[in-house]
Amino acid sequence: MIRSQIDDSVLDPSVAPICSAVFDQFEPISLAALMKVVQLVKPSYCPLDIMPAALFKEVFHSIGLDIVNLINGSLASGIVPTALKHAAVQPILKKPNLDSTVLSNFRPVSKLPYLSKILEKTIFTQLQTFLENNGIFEKFQSGFKTHHSTESALLQVFNNLVFTVDEGNTAILILLDLSAAFDTVDHRILLSHLQHSVGLHGNVLKWFESYLSDRSFAVHIDEFSSSVVPLNCGVPQGSILGPVLFSLYLLPLGSIFMKYGLSFHCYADDIQIYLPLNVKKSNSFQTLMDCLRDIKAWLSHNFLHINETKTECVVIGNSGVTGSDIPSFLASYLRPHVRNLGVVFDGALKLDEQIKSVVKASFFQLRLLAKVKHFLSFSDFEKAIHAFISTKLDYYNALYTGISQALLSRLQLVQNAAARLLTNMRRHEHITPVLASLHWLPVRFRIDFKLLMFVYKAVHGLAPLYISELVCFYTPERTLRSSNQLFLEVPKSRRKHWGDRAFSVRAPILWNGLPWEIRSAACLFLNHFLKRICIHGPLTILLIDVFVLTMYFSCYFTV
């Protein structure tokens, strides 16, 4: 067990401030509000449910008052029913071709009763409101938060890295991975963090203490079930509150990074650390070593363990820094390129390995799609192409701005091949009219389109705070005709292949190129903004189907 291998005798090096906000009493929920909660929680199968979740939703109008009384009783007493704290664990083979006799090839899937999710969703709504109103969340934690995603996290990190190199420095990016982090969370320490760092007191803290205590699980395979085993640590897997509790568990970790002045970004249990390097000054490495020492000490104190086999680092920049310049404690983790939240970062940030991976996976999917084409209608086959190919081209494409034309052409070849497969077009026929007839935006315009969408969300409060801080409106020193044009300020950069690739540089340039009626559309919804770009903006090379684009990008962003 991982917890038994952790030395928790070290002192806690964090200096997290005591939270002054107080949340000590839940608000009772009404029948109408609970009905909305039931509609939001998706039905899922759990062998512990007395009735199927879909049937529960259908008959809720008959049993709603009893459910309201049950939930309000839990909120008022601060006690969670024991039956709602038992989980059914079902082992699922990770891949169909793996050996079923090897236990490590299975992924344990924890399932909770549907009624427990209704109760947790009620608690989550009130807890989320309290956290947002008091600004308690860690700004640089993008996991399990509205308007946040892996792409927004990488966009901020990528922006800071290219600006660091553009200023003439070398940067180092360190990726830390925690081993089974959700399963080793200590309940006593979590409750302490909830009380002192979050501000939960009274009946609210009592409810979470009851929620974490006396939990149990049993393994279910078909109609067979194992004996019940107590669960004394970890946040509940498969729960609604589990992810937010884990984020709050890591809340004091940010104080260590701020203590040493290092930049960081977290996505759930994946931690990124990056900073400028100066090999001529040993204090930069000493600061990094001291910070990593304290991070490891804090993790041990909180029963978390760094997975050494998955820890990697890469040097960003072209200053000639080699492995011999890196301290020995980091040299073993040094790689020519690393996979960061699904994107391959190399030392020059050319993203050639990333593009290579996307192209290879896309053509593999195209070959598979070609085998089933004759079984699908034209519209269904087009949906399949968007699901398996277009999503790969668009995922993380906000980072592709400024990549070489050769790499851009490789991505365009994928889209061209998909269009030819869909329309039965010959290989040597001109592709542009076909893309226009399908209302498919070429790859280079899709990149700009994604950046503009990020800008719109940033200036209208729909993006993470760290993205909104990268753009600011232009304010001239004296009154000019451009003062009220809602232009964005474009930071100065030194080099085209570095600074000009930053989101904070490229995105304002694209925004300032939009017509006034689009920039001033502060009251528009996102789909109306996209429509105006398509009709009036610089992307009028094609007549874009707005509905397709809106639905297409909705899988990454929530309005």
Side-chain angles (χ1 to χ4, degrees):
M1 189 176 181
I2 294 178
R3 280 175 59 95
S4 62
Q5 303 173 3
I6 299 175
D7 179 17
D8 64 327
S9 62
V10 295
L11 298 177
D12 187 350
S14 64
V15 289
I18 302 298
C19 182
S20 58
V22 175
F23 184 27
D24 57 4
Q25 192 68 41
F26 291 115
E27 294 291 335
I29 189 170
S30 64
L31 178 60
L34 184 60
M35 188 173 296
K36 293 181 180 179
V37 171
V38 173
Q39 293 173 350
L40 288 174
V41 179
K42 296 181 180 179
S44 58
Y45 169 74
C46 177
L48 303 175
D49 284 329
I50 299 177
M51 69 173 69
L55 179 60
F56 179 93
K57 300 185 74 169
E58 290 182 5
V59 302
F60 181 76
H61 63 279
S62 301
I63 62 175
L65 288 176
D66 295 324
I67 302 301
V68 168
N69 293 333
L70 175 64
I71 291 180
N72 284 335
S74 176
L75 299 184
S77 63
I79 298 175
V80 181
T82 304
L84 302 184
K85 297 188 288 186
H86 180 67
V89 176
Q90 293 183 323
I92 305 296
L93 201 61
K94 295 179 180 179
K95 295 181 180 180
N97 58 343
L98 294 178
D99 186 359
S100 59
T101 62
V102 180
L103 296 180
S104 60
N105 291 337
F106 287 88
R107 178 180 291 107
V109 178
S110 178
K111 296 183 178 181
L112 292 169
Y114 185 70
L115 186 57
S116 72
K117 294 188 176 182
I118 301 297
L119 174 60
E120 289 188 37
K121 186 65 176 179
T122 305
I123 298 295
F124 175 82
T125 302
Q126 298 190 32
L127 178 63
Q128 186 84 356
T129 302
F130 168 75
L131 296 174
E132 292 178 350
N133 291 342
N134 294 277
I136 296 176
F137 270 131
E138 170 58 57
K139 180 172 71 170
F140 297 114
Q141 169 62 269
S142 294
F144 320 113
K145 293 167 66 175
T146 306
H147 304 313
H148 294 64
S149 66
T150 54
E151 187 169 18
S152 66
L154 289 179
L155 191 61
Q156 189 257 351
V157 173
F158 189 89
N159 181 89
N160 293 346
L161 287 175
V162 294
F163 253 121
T164 297
V165 180
D166 188 68
E167 293 172 354
N169 299 316
T170 300
I172 186 170
L173 172 65
I174 304 173
L175 307 180
L176 302 180
D177 182 79
L178 304 182
S179 299
F182 286 74
D183 299 327
T184 60
V185 169
D186 186 84
H187 292 168
R188 176 183 55 83
I189 297 177
L190 174 58
L191 290 171
S192 176
H193 289 177
L194 293 178
Q195 180 179 3
H196 299 101
S197 300
V198 180
L200 304 189
H201 298 276
N203 204 47
V204 174
L205 185 63
K206 179 183 177 183
W207 188 94
F208 278 100
E209 185 176 359
S210 174
Y211 173 77
L212 293 171
S213 63
D214 300 324
R215 300 198 72 91
S216 60
F217 72 95
V219 178
H220 288 249
I221 301 178
D222 296 330
E223 68 273 15
F224 301 101
S225 175
S226 71
S227 57
V228 177
V229 179
L231 192 62
N232 299 320
C233 61
V235 293
Q237 298 291 320
S239 65
I240 293 177
L241 289 173
V244 67
L245 289 178
F246 181 78
S247 297
L248 296 177
Y249 190 72
L250 294 182
L251 199 59
L253 187 61
S255 64
I256 300 178
F257 294 107
M258 290 186 291
K259 173 184 175 182
Y260 290 98
L262 300 186
S263 301
F264 74 101
H265 206 113
C266 299
Y267 193 90
D269 58 342
D270 292 317
I271 305 173
Q272 307 177 50
I273 309 172
Y274 55 99
L275 71 157
L277 285 182
N278 190 335
V279 296
K280 297 180 180 179
K281 297 181 179 180
S282 60
N283 61 337
S284 60
F285 287 115
Q286 187 61 45
T287 301
L288 178 59
M289 292 174 63
D290 294 341
C291 180
L292 290 177
R293 183 195 62 242
D294 280 3
I295 290 173
K296 192 171 182 178
W298 185 90
L299 292 174
S300 295
H301 181 80
N302 291 271
F303 292 96
L304 298 173
H305 179 66
I306 295 179
N307 188 344
E308 300 287 349
T309 61
K310 293 186 178 181
T311 298
E312 298 177 320
C313 69
V314 60
V315 175
I316 309 294
N318 297 317
S319 62
V321 178
T322 62
S324 59
D325 300 320
I326 304 297
S328 57
F329 80 100
L330 277 180
S332 59
Y333 304 128
L334 191 62
R335 305 287 186 273
H337 49 76
V338 296
R339 183 170 292 275
N340 185 10
L341 296 179
V343 176
V344 182
F345 279 32
D346 56 271
L349 291 183
K350 295 180 179 179
L351 300 182
D352 49 350
E353 290 294 329
Q354 168 65 16
I355 302 301
K356 179 181 177 181
S357 175
V358 171
V359 171
K360 181 180 179 180
S362 298
F363 276 117
F364 174 76
Q365 294 290 346
L366 278 176
R367 288 191 293 270
L368 295 180
L369 288 172
K371 297 179 181 180
V372 300
K373 177 182 179 181
H374 300 293
F375 301 99
L376 301 175
S377 64
F378 182 88
S379 60
D380 290 339
F381 190 63
E382 185 176 15
K383 293 177 183 177
I385 287 179
H386 283 313
F388 291 97
I389 305 303
S390 300
T391 51
K392 285 184 172 58
L393 296 178
D394 286 336
Y395 200 39
Y396 299 116
N397 66 340
L399 306 179
Y400 295 167
T401 180
I403 62 174
S404 66
Q405 186 60 43
L407 294 178
L408 204 60
S409 298
R410 295 189 65 184
L411 293 174
Q412 188 60 53
L413 283 176
V414 174
Q415 189 185 52
N416 295 350
R420 295 181 195 277
L421 177 62
L422 175 64
T423 59
N424 294 319
M425 181 184 178
R426 295 181 179 178
R427 182 176 181 180
H428 299 291
E429 294 183 26
H430 197 43
I431 194 64
T432 302
V434 178
L435 295 178
S437 65
L438 293 173
H439 308 292
W440 289 10
L441 201 62
V443 171
R444 64 189 182 98
F445 291 115
R446 300 176 90 92
I447 297 172
D448 292 346
F449 194 83
K450 178 70 73 66
L451 292 175
L452 285 171
M453 207 159 46
F454 264 114
V455 175
Y456 176 85
K457 286 175 171 286
V459 299
H460 293 92
L462 300 173
L465 180 60
Y466 55 77
I467 293 293
S468 300
E469 291 176 348
L470 296 180
V471 294
C472 59
F473 286 105
Y474 170 69
T475 304
E477 297 180 356
R478 56 190 179 89
T479 303
L480 301 173
R481 285 183 297 177
S482 60
S483 300
N484 59 350
Q485 293 297 304
L486 298 181
F487 287 128
L488 294 178
E489 185 173 347
V490 181
K492 294 182 179 179
S493 60
R494 298 172 56 189
R495 288 178 281 184
K496 177 180 179 180
H497 296 295
W498 288 105
D500 286 359
R501 297 179 60 191
F503 171 80
S504 56
V505 174
R506 178 61 180 168
I509 292 176
L510 293 173
W511 176 269
N512 295 343
L514 294 174
W516 157 254
E517 58 268 20
I518 299 179
R519 297 196 306 273
S520 61
C523 60
L524 293 182
F525 290 110
L526 178 61
N527 58 340
H528 296 156
F529 171 74
L530 301 181
K531 182 177 180 180
R532 291 199 175 190
I533 290 181
C534 298
I535 296 177
H536 301 290
L539 308 179
T540 51
I541 185 173
L542 293 177
L543 299 175
I544 307 168
D545 187 336
V546 181
F547 175 77
V548 172
L549 285 171
T550 305
M551 294 298 294
Y552 190 70
F553 287 113
S554 65
C555 60
Y556 304 114
F557 303 100
T558 303
V559 180

